[in-house]
């Protein structure tokens, strides 16, 4: 008896194995010629997805006027984000935030001439 291991034959991938059932793979036919099934499969793969979650999409949120022109202008600026991909929103949001902060700061400013400084400890 011999302890030799029988050599296993490596199958040729170009020759179909009769032990494996046909999995519905279309016959390629003549090399270089695509069958109808192959053409349909390629067409399905080439179709772009209808919905891309990262694509720009308007939120369609109504913007109600506040009565303050500066604030209303900043709220309208938010609409610019509707036409940008999500990675572009941060720039618009930061710009609007700066504008709203400036508008609120301006509301704190007193109109007219500044008030006289308070006097402490003065006696008349």
């Amino acid at each position: 008896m011999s302890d030799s291991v029988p050599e296993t034959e490596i199958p040729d991938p170009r020759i179909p194995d009769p032990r494996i059932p046909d999995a519905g793979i279309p016959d390629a036919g003549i090399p270089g010629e695509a069958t109808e099934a192959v053409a349909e499969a390629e067409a399905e793969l080439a179709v772009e997805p209808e919905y891309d979650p990262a694509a720009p999409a308007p939120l369609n949120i109504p913007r109600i006027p506040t009565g303050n022109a500066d604030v209303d202008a900043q709220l309208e600026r938010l609409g610019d984000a509707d036409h940008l991909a999500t990675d572009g929103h941060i720039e618009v949001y930061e710009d609007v935030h700066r504008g709203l902060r400036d508008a609120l700061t301006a509301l704190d400013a007193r109109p007219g001439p500044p008030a006289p400084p308070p006097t402490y400890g003065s006696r008349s």
Side-chain angles (χ1 to χ4, degrees), residues 71-95:
V71 172
D72 290 342
Q74 294 303 319
L75 293 177
E76 283 302 314
R77 170 92 168 93
L78 286 173
D80 293 345
D82 288 349
H83 309 289
L84 300 171
T86 53
D87 60 351
H89 289 190
I90 189 75
E91 183 179 336
V92 173
Y93 295 155
E94 287 176 347
D95 184 47

Side-chain angles (χ1 to χ4, degrees), residues 19-92:
R19 296 173 294 174
I20 301 174
D22 182 16
I25 301 171
D27 183 16
I30 302 171
E33 179 181 310
T35 63
E36 186 176 327
V38 171
E40 287 176 14
E42 289 173 350
E44 286 178 17
L45 292 175
V47 174
E48 302 231 358
E50 292 181 24
Y51 174 72
D52 180 6
L59 296 175
N60 296 323
I61 296 174
R63 293 172 188 88
I64 301 168
T66 64
N68 182 299
D70 292 335
V71 172
D72 290 342
Q74 294 303 319
L75 293 177
E76 283 302 314
R77 170 92 168 93
L78 286 173
D80 293 345
D82 288 349
H83 309 289
L84 300 171
T86 53
D87 60 351
H89 289 190
I90 189 75
E91 183 179 336
V92 173

Side-chain angles (χ1 to χ4, degrees), residues 109-118:
R110 295 178 181 240

Side-chain angles (χ1 to χ4, degrees), residues 4 14-15 17-18 28 37 40 43 50 54 56 70 72 82 94 96-98 108 113 118-119 121-122:
S4 66
R14 296 171 292 172
I15 300 172
D17 188 345
E40 287 176 14
E50 292 181 24
D70 292 335
D72 290 342
D82 288 349
E94 287 176 347
V96 170
H97 182 256
R98 259 189 311 275
D108 288 339
T119 57
S122 66

Side-chain angles (χ1 to χ4, degrees), residues 4-10:
S4 66
V5 177
E7 289 186 30
T8 57
E9 185 177 322
I10 299 174

